[in-house]
Amino acid sequence: MRQVWQREQDAAVTNPMLQPKRVTMHIVADPNNDPRRYNQPAAHVNEVAVVFVGEDRLPPGNLDLVIYDSNPADPNHRMQSISAGSPHADPMLYPLLFPHGETGWHYNLQQEGVRRNAVRVRNSPKEFASFRLAIRYTGTNSNGNEGHTFSLLHAAGFLFQQYICDQYVRMEANNLRYIRDNQKALFADAYQSLLDHINQQFHLDEINPVGRRTILPSTFLGGPRYMKQCYHDAMSIVRKYGKPDLFITFTCNPRWPEIVDNIPYWLNATDRPDLVARVFHAKLKELMRDITVNKVFGNVDAYVYTIEFQKRGLPHAHILIILDEDSKLLIADDVDNVVCAYLPDPASERRLLDSVKSHMIHGPCGPLNHNSPCMLDNSCTKKYPKEYIEETVYISDGGYPTYRRPNNGLVVNIRGHPVSNEFVVPYNPYLLVKYDAHINVEVCSTVKSVMYLYKYVYKGHDAATLEVWNGD
């Protein structure tokens, strides 16, 4: 990119009209957007950049790749475009990961062996990426290098993260391209007729419409129709089995031994998102088995859960549990048998105390730390620190019980601040000790929070609205 920028600067010397304009990017804080999705990213603004080269100083119309030739002896062939579906895209973009020039995925990559049949003839980008990301202890993930135990791809650190992001974008682009080219097969005309009727009712007819409307079907994962369909399915479960009884948030712990023992000392958990995702998936399956089969909370009638990724890269799951009539939590004593919100006794429950200190302390925020990310207008958005209370109140204003938080004098040191029961996040002792991770367990005491919870679970991925200004 330095060479591209230098070329633009040299052109501006001979022609001042070609002087590169200063472009700024702004994050739009629209109060009409969902604040649970459209919120300020955690990354610093200097870590976000966009570089493009196109005709007439405009962004390119496609996502093809541009190879820049740095040889000054050949001024007529300075740039060459290759398609993102070219087999040479990966080795050109990541020469360090493919030092032998191994070919990447392309549109005509054929299935081989037993996987090939009359329907499945070509490999999809997802199948090829899964092949590359698979861990092989008898060789690298590149072709023709059998016998080596070192995987260059998995040891690339931040470059490996970028490679995974590129592969994901390629998969999504391939899915969107199929949807765009097969609108008739997806019955998009039915949606278009409905939209035409609505536009006519509101007098939104366009004389010269720009572009072509493409309908995303409900089968497109993460799309608006997909999330709404999941929400409606969940509300159908509520209509049959009643309100949820437990709301559980399960977050991956990057210090799990299954992760630490399989990562070299020069890498972090964020450098191996593939391993983190696999371990979290196995832990989540075991957690759901404890809840549904081993009946940690009693007999379960129904459940739903979704998996999301935090801004720092760790996966976490939102789980809603509907218990059977004979297992429902109806009084404050039932809540105390399932959920705790105070520091355990350090003498008799030392292991539980260590887990609470590591995973279930909020902040600290408020008077102890005004710079905490949860602070807004000098108050915590999660309403911490909580008030001390000697007994659990089953029905509270927010749809959740007010959990017991005795003022017993127990204090632990968290990041240089002494905290007590005011900052403890509700947890289940058995699950917390077994999984050694952040597992927030909340009891839904009223029907007030039903729609909010299910909309929160199916709110969709995090997003941001950006504006790019070039001075005018």
Side-chain angles (χ1 to χ4, degrees):
M1 291 300 104
R2 180 189 64 83
Q3 295 165 334
V4 175
W5 173 254
Q6 187 62 44
R7 191 191 64 180
E8 294 291 326
Q9 294 285 60
D10 295 341
V13 174
T14 58
N15 189 353
M17 297 298 295
L18 298 179
Q19 181 68 32
K21 293 184 178 181
R22 181 178 179 83
V23 178
T24 59
M25 184 171 65
H26 307 271
I27 299 176
V28 180
D30 189 352
N32 297 322
N33 289 334
D34 188 351
R36 297 167 299 181
R37 292 188 60 195
Y38 291 85
N39 46 35
Q40 184 176 358
H44 195 269
V45 291
N46 292 333
E47 298 179 7
V48 181
V50 176
V51 178
F52 63 85
V53 177
E55 298 179 356
D56 300 328
R57 311 179 68 83
L58 295 175
N62 50 43
L63 297 179
D64 289 349
L65 308 173
V66 177
I67 303 175
Y68 182 79
D69 184 8
S70 60
N71 184 11
D74 190 10
N76 296 325
H77 299 86
R78 301 301 301 273
M79 291 189 301
Q80 180 181 355
S81 297
I82 62 174
S83 172
S86 170
H88 308 296
D90 283 345
M92 285 289 186
L93 285 173
Y94 303 98
L96 295 179
L97 300 183
F98 304 95
H100 301 279
E102 301 87 352
T103 58
W105 177 84
H106 54 91
Y107 295 116
N108 295 320
L109 186 62
Q110 302 293 314
Q111 293 275 6
E112 295 181 0
V114 296
R115 296 180 60 87
R116 183 182 177 93
N117 53 48
V119 178
R120 300 185 60 84
V121 178
R122 295 185 297 178
N123 269 289
S124 67
K126 179 180 179 180
E127 292 170 335
F128 184 81
S130 300
F131 169 79
R132 286 292 188 190
L133 297 180
I135 300 173
R136 299 178 178 86
Y137 295 99
T138 59
T140 66
N141 286 5
S142 300
N143 298 329
N145 292 284
E146 296 298 332
H148 299 280
T149 58
F150 176 74
S151 175
L152 183 61
L153 184 65
H154 294 96
F158 186 79
L159 190 61
F160 180 54
Q161 300 180 35
Q162 180 178 332
Y163 174 77
I164 290 180
C165 290
D166 283 350
Q167 297 304 311
Y168 170 76
V169 172
R170 179 179 293 178
M171 298 175 203
E172 291 292 84
N174 187 63
N175 295 336
L176 292 172
R177 180 169 51 250
Y178 175 85
I179 293 174
R180 181 194 62 193
D181 297 340
N182 295 271
Q183 286 287 283
K184 291 184 177 180
L186 298 173
F187 300 102
D189 293 340
Y191 298 116
Q192 187 63 50
S193 301
L194 178 60
L195 289 174
D196 292 341
H197 173 71
I198 295 175
N199 292 339
Q200 185 179 4
Q201 293 293 323
F202 287 92
H203 304 287
L204 298 178
D205 297 332
E206 297 181 358
I207 299 177
N208 295 314
V210 178
R212 184 182 67 177
R213 188 188 301 271
T214 300
I215 305 298
L216 286 180
S218 59
T219 55
F220 181 74
L221 298 183
R225 295 181 186 276
Y226 172 81
M227 303 307 293
K228 290 180 180 179
Q229 178 176 283
C230 291
Y231 170 71
H232 291 155
D233 291 343
M235 295 307 295
S236 299
I237 296 176
V238 172
R239 183 172 58 183
K240 178 174 178 59
Y241 295 103
K243 72 172 184 66
D245 298 285
L246 295 170
F247 179 39
I248 303 174
T249 302
F250 177 41
T251 305
C252 175
N253 178 13
R255 294 186 295 273
W256 276 331
E258 294 87 350
I259 297 177
V260 176
D261 295 345
N262 289 280
I263 294 182
Y265 65 89
W266 65 84
L267 297 178
N268 298 319
T270 54
D271 297 325
R272 288 296 304 276
D274 60 323
L275 179 61
V276 170
R278 290 186 180 203
V279 174
F280 176 77
H281 179 65
K283 297 279 187 178
L284 179 60
K285 288 174 61 179
E286 181 64 21
L287 174 63
M288 296 308 300
R289 179 178 177 82
D290 279 340
I291 295 175
T292 59
V293 178
N294 298 333
K295 302 177 182 180
V296 172
F297 300 110
N299 296 320
V300 175
D301 274 347
Y303 66 90
V304 296
Y305 70 86
T306 59
I307 301 176
E308 300 175 350
F309 286 82
Q310 299 172 333
K311 291 185 176 63
R312 54 186 175 179
L314 293 177
H316 69 280
H318 295 300
I319 310 169
L320 286 168
I321 306 295
I322 301 177
L323 298 175
D324 188 64
E325 287 295 333
D326 59 354
S327 301
K328 289 189 178 295
L329 312 176
L330 302 178
I331 59 176
D333 290 340
D334 296 336
V335 175
D336 291 337
N337 292 332
V338 171
V339 179
C340 300
Y342 53 86
L343 296 171
D345 185 12
S348 59
E349 298 176 304
R350 186 66 195 182
R351 183 180 176 185
L352 177 59
L353 177 63
D354 292 340
S355 297
V356 172
K357 289 172 55 178
S358 300
H359 309 295
M360 306 308 299
I361 300 297
H362 175 81
C365 61
L368 298 180
N369 183 14
H370 293 283
N371 296 323
S372 179
C374 62
M375 295 295 291
L376 180 64
D377 298 332
N378 293 325
S379 62
C380 175
T381 56
K382 308 298 182 181
K383 299 182 180 180
Y384 282 89
K386 304 289 187 178
E387 296 182 357
Y388 291 116
I389 183 172
E390 295 298 326
E391 294 183 357
T392 298
V393 178
Y394 180 73
I395 298 180
S396 187
D397 294 335
Y400 303 104
T402 301
Y403 304 104
R404 175 175 174 263
R405 300 175 184 270
N407 188 5
N408 52 13
L410 290 178
V411 176
V412 294
N413 189 282
I414 303 297
R415 290 182 285 276
H417 300 286
V419 300
S420 58
N421 294 334
E422 301 170 293
F423 291 93
V424 177
V425 179
Y427 62 91
N428 177 266
Y430 171 76
L431 296 180
L432 179 59
V433 172
K434 178 177 180 179
Y435 291 96
D436 191 26
H438 175 88
I439 306 181
N440 177 211
V441 180
E442 299 277 2
V443 176
C444 307
S445 57
T446 67
V447 298
K448 181 179 180 180
S449 58
V450 170
M451 293 189 64
Y452 167 78
L453 284 178
Y454 282 96
K455 285 187 176 180
Y456 180 82
V457 168
Y458 293 114
K459 66 181 183 298
H461 55 77
D462 289 339
T465 304
L466 302 178
E467 290 180 344
V468 179
W469 292 79
N470 64 350
D472 58 0

